[in-house]
Each structure stands twice: as C-alpha cells, then as structure tokens.
Amino acid sequence: MIIDLANTSTRKIQDALTATRHRMGGPATGKVLTLIVVTDEAAQYDAIRAATEVAREHPCRILGVIARGREAESRFDAEVRVGESGPGETVLLRMYGQLAEHADSVVLPLLVPDTPVVTWWPGEAPAKPGDEALGALAQRRVTDSASAGDPLGALKRLASGYLPGDTDFAWARVTPWRSLLAAALDQPHDDVTAARIEADPGSPSAALLGGWLSVRLGVSAEIAESRGPGITAVRLTTKDGEIAVTRPDGRVATLSRSDQPDRQVALHRRSTAELLAEELRRLDPDEVYYEAVQRFAKGLEASSAQAAPAAKSPAKPKAKKS
C-alpha cells in the first residue's frame, strides 16, 4: 500500500503508518532498527530497492531523505509504503527549502523507539559522517567511497574524519578476500616478506585490503593496476614460494601455493543489497576497519613526503669585487 502525503507533518506520517498496519493486520512492532538513506532523486530508486531487499533479513523502518528545491518554500512531502515488496515500512521524505538543511528535525520523530539507527549515504558522502546531523542520530554510519569522483581522496577524508561507528562499502567488498586469505595463512607457511594487490586503478577496496595486510603481516603492500573487474589478484611472497589468490572474471578465484595443487573458490562480486546486509549485521564499531583505513592514510602521507622535492638552501650572494 502506498500513501502520498503532500506538504505534510510527522504526525500525519505516524498516523498513516499506524492506520495502514491496522488495516493490513500487521504487528505494531517487530522492527529491529531504523535505516536512514540519504540520497538524491536520481539515485533513490536503486538505493531504496536495495534497502527493501535487505529488510527481508533485517526488518526495519526505511527513511529515505531526499533534498529538493533548496530555493523553494520550506516544506516536505512524504510517500509512505507498507507491505510493498517487503516486510518493513518505507517512508520517502522529499524536503524543500531550508528544511533540507535540518532534516534531522523531521527524521527524529519517525525513528523506531528503542532500536539502533543506521545512516547510509549510497552516493557522495560527507567527509566526516559523524558530524552530520543525520549521522549523529546513528550508531552506525555507512558510506561508499567508490561512488565518489575521487575514490581514494574520499577514503582519505573519511580516514581523517573517522568516528567509532563509521564504515565503508569498500571495506565490505573485501570481506570474502580477507576470509580466504586468512584461511590460506592458517596453514603452515614461511614468513610473508611482501604483498602485492592487483586491482582497478584507484580502487578503495584494494587500498583497504593493502592496509589490512600491512597491519596483520607487518609488511608493505604494493598496489598494482589491472584491468579489473575490482580486485583481480593478491600475491604474498614467502621464502618457500608465492601464495596467490587470482580472480580475473569477478566470480571464481584460484588459490595457488607452491606446495599444493590449485583450488577453485567461489568469490563473486556482491550486489549493493548484499553489502548493506553485511553492514547491518554488525552495529558496534569496527576496529579492524579503523586500523586498515588509518594505515592506508598513513601510507599516502609517507608517499607524499617522499615525493616532495627537498627544499633547496638559498644561494649565498657572491662577494662583490672591489
């Protein structure tokens, strides 16, 4: 059921949700969290569709916040969806004028009481999500640096503005890689002396995987460009030979070790809904992500320092001959 409310109020939205649940015979409670989706009109369809799919695993109230017509008179329209392609409730809030700058005042009364709040920016994210009004409402803040015009620059800004509870889809994308590499390193092996990651140019996932490997193995991780898609290979050098995971097609990986036959492992690139579902399974701060993103940022700073030309001493003036 879809209810359109023009130039409305939070009270009218609450009344519409209650009346619709009673009409459909649904429970008054049962939501495990509130998911705030901060997006624009162009991207809202895909973002809300992914959130609705995730609601099958994590029953939640989805609040889509869309800023429109900043020069218009302050007001907001709402589109209430209950029982539409999922078990949760969805409210799209289209905000006009200066009200778009104070979206938290509209969202706050619509949060499911006594449940966690997650804020997700599927597009361009703020540099410091925790300082944003809608980010401050949440225990967990999810961004996607890969959607930025400069993914690595966005990841660096997120690293400098990190607050406990922040995370990024670039980190979720490497979860299967980390699991596979951890399983491979659980077997007896010589010390790893070097690491090399091959991926699309400017891949934030490769940068975070490199940071994680550096922290865990105590070696520097080289990032090399490939044709993709995504990360295509991770190669760990040991005295006894190379441990390699290669995935040229984005679906099936090959685990190779010098002392064992090759193994084929499913390692497909996951959808937005799968990534979001993973992030909603954990609502406490992710300290491993923090370590990885900080190591990435420190690596950039070290590279910049090495690349900077040494300052030249000013030449002394020559003595004038008398």
Side-chain angles (χ1 to χ4, degrees):
M1 180 177 293
I2 299 178
I3 302 173
D4 290 319
L5 301 171
N7 196 11
T8 188
S9 65
T10 55
R11 179 57 183 270
K12 292 179 180 178
I13 295 173
Q14 291 281 25
D15 291 344
L17 288 169
T18 302
T20 304
R21 282 198 302 266
H22 289 168
R23 191 177 304 122
M24 299 181 65
T29 58
K31 308 296 180 295
V32 299
L33 58 88
T34 302
L35 175 60
I36 303 172
V37 184
V38 187
T39 184
D40 55 29
E41 197 64 61
Q44 64 88 10
Y45 177 81
D46 289 336
I48 297 301
R49 182 177 61 177
T52 302
E53 185 176 340
V54 169
R56 298 179 183 277
E57 178 180 343
H58 305 277
C60 60
R61 176 174 292 173
I62 302 166
L63 302 178
V65 179
I66 304 166
R68 296 188 64 183
R70 295 183 181 274
E71 302 301 323
E73 181 182 354
S74 291
R75 66 180 179 88
F76 72 94
D77 301 334
E79 181 181 321
V80 180
R81 306 175 184 173
V82 179
E84 290 289 322
S85 303
E89 303 167 339
T90 301
V91 181
L92 294 185
L93 302 167
R94 293 182 170 88
M95 303 189 184
Y96 297 81
Q98 294 184 354
L99 185 61
E101 303 296 329
H102 306 281
D104 56 315
S105 63
V106 177
V107 168
L108 185 60
L110 298 175
L111 303 179
V112 179
D114 302 321
T115 61
V117 178
V118 178
T119 302
W120 171 37
W121 290 266
E124 193 81 27
K128 196 169 184 180
D131 281 353
E132 294 293 308
L134 293 175
L137 294 176
Q139 288 77 33
R140 189 78 160 164
R141 294 166 295 274
V142 184
T143 55
D144 188 3
S145 55
S147 65
D150 177 12
L152 294 182
L155 191 61
K156 182 181 179 181
R157 291 191 293 273
L158 291 170
S160 62
Y162 174 88
L163 289 175
D166 291 356
T167 189
D168 193 87
F169 271 178
W171 181 240
R173 290 186 179 99
V174 300
T175 298
W177 285 91
R178 292 191 296 125
S179 299
L180 183 55
L181 289 168
L185 293 175
D186 275 345
Q187 302 180 33
H189 62 85
D190 286 337
D191 291 342
V192 176
T193 57
R196 175 186 171 94
I197 301 169
E198 300 169 10
D200 283 330
S203 167
S205 292
L208 288 176
L209 185 58
W212 176 73
L213 287 172
S214 295
V215 170
R216 296 302 168 187
L217 300 178
V219 299
S220 61
E222 176 191 359
I223 309 295
E225 294 184 1
S226 71
R227 296 183 179 181
I231 299 173
T232 56
V234 177
R235 305 181 189 277
L236 306 178
T237 302
T238 71
K239 295 180 180 179
D240 192 39
E242 186 179 74
I243 301 172
V245 179
T246 56
R247 186 192 65 176
D249 61 356
R251 293 182 295 177
V252 179
T254 301
L255 173 61
S256 304
R257 296 179 61 127
S258 57
D259 57 343
Q260 296 180 10
D262 291 352
R263 292 170 48 198
Q264 302 293 314
V265 183
L267 196 63
H268 72 279
R269 304 189 73 197
R270 297 185 295 168
S271 67
T272 299
E274 290 174 303
L275 298 173
L276 183 59
E278 176 182 325
E279 295 298 350
L280 296 187
R281 293 186 194 112
R282 176 174 185 168
L283 298 178
D284 59 318
D286 190 339
E287 295 178 356
V288 182
Y289 164 72
Y290 170 74
E291 293 174 349
V293 75
Q294 293 301 318
R295 178 59 65 90
F296 155 72
K298 289 178 181 178
L300 281 184
E301 292 173 1
S303 298
S304 299
Q306 292 175 359
K312 294 182 179 180
S313 301
K316 294 181 179 180
K318 295 181 179 179
K320 192 174 181 179
K321 293 182 180 180
S322 57

